[in-house]
Amino acid sequence: MTTLSEPMRATARPARRSRASVLTRRVSTVLLGGLVLFAVVGPLLLADPAAQTLDRYLEAPSLAEPLGRDEYGRSVLSRLAHATRLSLVLATLCVATALVVGTAAGILAAWRGTWVDTILRSVSEVFVAMPALLVVLLVAATADGGVWALYVGIALAQWVEYFRVVRARAAVVLASPAVEAARLLDLGWRHVVRRHLWPDLRPLLTTLASLGMVTSILAMSTLGFVKVGLEPPRAELGLMVTESFPYYDVAPWLSLAPVTVLFLLTVCFLGLRRTETA
């Protein structure tokens, strides 16, 4: 009976990990696609999430209402669709803003150096020293809550992650012989960004963006859960969990629905990250 030699085993292990990573991303993409479809189509087809039918108080799940109704007779399925859409849209805006600002600042600091780098590093260290949720809470308190306050707070809390990673990696790329040759040939900064910086930074930014989506969604839900984020009657996943707690013994489906969506969103975005870049 033949056995694999040690070099063959060493070659086979990375191949298996690569196949598992590809499969994980495919499954995550399919599940996330289903959630996005639910968030886009659901609010268009389902009832008003704020519409109350008090005589259907805590109605159990049925064919007409697969997730039942809450303590005000509102459709849980409709509220879940609107809450999922809110979480995805707001998280996408936060991540996009943090990515653009942090990446631009990181490249600028690595490219220019000197006092520009010193100032940007000092600003980033202030945000690093403050807990992310504290930044969001401060902005939300100053702006009296609301969607835009959450957006600004979460984006401010996240941009520093992109800045620090991009600055460190861009400094290495910009010091490489290929970039030095491009500068000597006077090919311009667009060529350096397109041909050297972007290919090197793209995998890192993909991973950070996936993790940023998870962070944003969980931050919104956490603030809603402790009732310092968005306010009722807006449909939001964290608020839905909080509102369902007094009825968990008679209507467990109320809390199960938003918790399941939060879990699936977290798993999907974590599955999309490029683990091979770690």
Side-chain angles (χ1 to χ4, degrees), residues 32 35 83-92 94-95 150 154 158 209-224 236-238 258 261-269:
L32 184 59
L35 289 170
T84 305
R85 182 179 66 178
L86 174 64
S87 293
L88 286 173
V89 170
L90 193 54
T92 301
C94 293
V95 169
L150 279 180
I154 294 174
Q158 287 193 356
S210 298
L211 297 176
M213 289 294 292
V214 175
T215 302
S216 299
I217 291 171
L218 293 181
M220 283 184 284
S221 300
T222 300
L223 293 173
E236 194 274 324
L237 295 173
V261 170
L262 282 172
F263 173 76
L264 289 176
L265 287 173
T266 301
V267 169
C268 288
F269 282 114

Side-chain angles (χ1 to χ4, degrees), residues 109-207:
W111 197 302
R112 297 298 299 272
T114 62
W115 62 270
V116 176
D117 183 33
T118 302
I119 291 176
L120 289 174
R121 278 193 299 109
S122 300
V123 174
S124 71
E125 287 167 1
V126 173
F127 282 91
V128 169
M130 298 175 64
L133 277 179
L134 179 59
V135 175
V136 180
L137 284 172
L138 289 174
V139 174
T142 304
D144 296 326
V147 174
W148 289 108
L150 279 180
Y151 159 68
V152 173
I154 294 174
L156 278 176
Q158 287 193 356
W159 78 273
V160 66
E161 300 175 11
Y162 297 90
F163 168 77
R164 291 167 68 87
V165 171
V166 169
R167 174 186 170 275
R169 188 59 193 168
V172 174
V173 175
L174 292 174
S176 65
V179 174
E180 291 293 335
R183 286 173 171 170
L184 289 174
L185 294 173
D186 198 21
L187 295 178
W189 64 270
R190 290 185 180 87
H191 172 85
V192 173
V193 171
R194 185 178 67 254
R195 296 295 299 273
H196 301 285
L197 280 175
W198 175 243
D200 202 88
L201 294 176
R202 183 174 54 191
L204 297 174
L205 294 177
T206 301
T207 299

